Amino acid sequence: MVTEWPGQVYAAGLGKIPTLVAYFNGRMHACGEEAVEAFEDDKSTVAHYFKLHLHPDHMRQSLRRPIPPLPVGVTLEQAYCDIMSYMFRHTQAFFESRPGYLNTTTWHRLRRSMEIILTTPNGWDLREQSFLRKVAVNAGLVDQQNADTRVTFVTEAEASIHFALHHGAVKNWLRKGVMFAVVDAGGSTVDSTLYVCKSSRGPVHLEEVCSSKCVQAGGIFVDEQAGIMLKRKFQNSRFNIPAYHAVMIREFERKTKRLFEADKQSNIIQFGGPVDNDPSVGVRRGRVSLSAAEVASCFAAPMKDIMDSVRSLIESRKVE
């Protein structure tokens, strides 16, 4: 797995990068972590949340937020093509630069038969797959003549169940006839699927019980609620300016949201320096302390949508 990407400040690196593509005069000039500064300076020049543009109509209608427009002169196909090409180039550089992985000769030999597997929300279908396969060709990942065989798709829910089977202690409870639910809480969508185990001996055989549920309640909606909460908290403070606000949201997404626990009474966001103080809103030396209730409020609306979706899925079914 690629664990280091350009622009990351963490010494050990991270496997995830922001889905951001920054443009200047219609041409990409930064991706991922390196596009964060451009995003904070002027969102209109950065393609963000562009996955929402590809949603089918029935998923768009359930959105509670407007879809951010793409930068002027940039198409959805171009945004996808640029980030796919960027990720593929860096994946190659990552493995070639590490002893014991793949040298340049081995990479080029394997590249001719490399299979690209893309995960998609459960609500996506052939239209979206066709679009992504075309993008993979234009980004140089595969050739047109073999795109149908070398670009394959798996739903995010199906990918989650494979992950759970590989990493979880499923042998303690997985047996023939057991029905269980898998909830994949992603960045924008949350997919919930019911499975029944047909066989647990040898290769595990699972079948979907019914159509999956897909709701717009992923991590970006928690971040959105955090933005609303922080604006309200600082509305009468000198820190109620876009520059501070952008840093707070970024730190909330990177640390606060991921480390939050209900019994953790103090949740620190570092956004300024030693001269930034305002005890009336909990700011000391450029750090604001959020209560557990304040952070929990950011999860409330998305969690309700997720729980409602899961309840409707498992209602009247014997799920273990």
Side-chain angles (χ1 to χ4, degrees):
M1 183 175 74
V2 180
T3 56
E4 294 179 14
W5 296 89
Q8 288 182 333
V9 297
Y10 303 100
L14 292 172
K16 286 186 65 175
I17 59 171
T19 308
L20 302 173
V21 189
Y23 290 89
F24 181 74
N25 290 337
R27 296 180 65 86
M28 183 197 81
H29 74 88
C31 255
E33 200 72 40
E34 294 180 310
V36 169
E37 185 175 348
F39 180 70
E40 293 174 351
D41 289 342
D42 185 0
K43 290 182 174 62
S44 69
T45 65
V46 180
H48 59 287
Y49 300 157
F50 52 87
K51 176 181 178 179
L52 303 180
H53 286 274
L54 192 53
H55 278 347
D57 290 340
H58 72 275
M59 292 180 68
R60 287 194 185 201
Q61 291 167 4
S62 65
L63 285 172
R64 292 193 303 260
R65 59 181 294 166
I67 299 176
L70 294 166
V72 175
V74 175
T75 66
L76 182 60
E77 184 176 324
Q78 180 182 352
Y80 264 99
C81 186
D82 285 337
I83 198 165
M84 270 197 193
S85 178
Y86 165 83
M87 295 178 71
F88 195 74
R89 287 196 311 272
H90 184 70
T91 297
Q92 177 179 351
F94 177 85
F95 285 111
E96 288 183 345
S97 65
R98 279 154 179 78
Y101 280 86
L102 302 173
N103 57 36
T104 302
T105 302
T106 305
W107 174 274
H108 284 290
R109 176 172 57 82
L110 295 175
R111 195 194 182 312
R112 292 191 292 270
S113 58
M114 194 176 292
E115 185 176 351
I116 308 297
I117 303 174
L118 302 175
T119 61
T120 60
N122 284 33
W124 287 18
D125 209 333
L126 295 178
R127 181 186 75 94
E128 293 75 32
Q129 291 180 8
S130 177
F131 174 90
L132 292 175
R133 185 173 278 113
K134 179 182 177 183
V135 167
V137 172
N138 293 340
L141 276 61
V142 296
D143 297 326
Q144 179 67 58
Q145 58 266 33
N146 56 28
D148 286 342
T149 56
R150 288 182 56 198
V151 179
T152 57
F153 300 91
V154 60
T155 65
E156 290 168 356
E158 188 177 350
S160 296
I161 187 58
H162 284 292
F163 181 88
L165 290 173
H166 183 72
H167 295 281
V170 298
K171 291 182 180 179
N172 297 334
W173 55 266
L174 187 63
R175 59 190 181 277
K176 184 177 180 179
V178 166
M179 187 183 299
F180 62 97
V182 175
V183 180
D184 173 36
S188 61
T189 60
V190 176
D191 298 302
S192 305
T193 311
L194 273 183
Y195 292 94
V196 63
C197 180
K198 293 295 186 180
S199 173
S200 61
R201 295 184 178 182
V204 175
H205 179 203
L206 304 175
E207 286 186 4
E208 287 190 29
V209 175
C210 59
S211 298
S212 301
K213 297 285 186 179
C214 182
V215 293
Q216 311 290 314
I220 64 174
F221 298 98
V222 178
D223 300 339
E224 185 178 71
Q225 292 299 312
I228 295 171
M229 180 270 292
L230 289 167
K231 280 185 177 179
R232 186 183 304 120
K233 184 179 181 69
F234 290 103
Q235 61 183 343
N236 297 318
S237 167
R238 70 182 181 88
F239 301 115
N240 188 26
I241 58 176
Y244 283 126
H245 186 73
V247 176
M248 289 179 196
I249 294 297
R250 184 177 69 203
E251 292 304 303
F252 176 90
E253 194 281 329
R254 287 177 172 175
K255 297 179 181 178
T256 311
K257 178 177 71 175
R258 304 181 191 199
L259 300 175
F260 176 63
E261 295 178 0
D263 58 354
K264 189 176 182 181
Q265 294 307 308
S266 180
N267 300 272
I268 304 298
I269 293 180
Q270 179 76 49
F271 69 92
V275 299
D276 295 317
N277 296 283
D278 187 348
S280 68
V281 288
V283 175
R284 295 179 184 276
R285 299 179 65 81
R287 308 195 321 166
V288 59
S289 178
L290 301 177
S291 68
E294 286 177 313
V295 180
S297 70
C298 304
F299 289 85
M303 279 299 298
K304 182 181 183 303
D305 289 343
I306 293 170
M307 294 305 296
D308 288 346
S309 175
V310 172
R311 286 193 190 98
S312 69
L313 189 70
I314 66 176
E315 204 170 52
S316 75
R317 294 186 174 93
K318 188 178 180 182
V319 179
E320 299 188 17

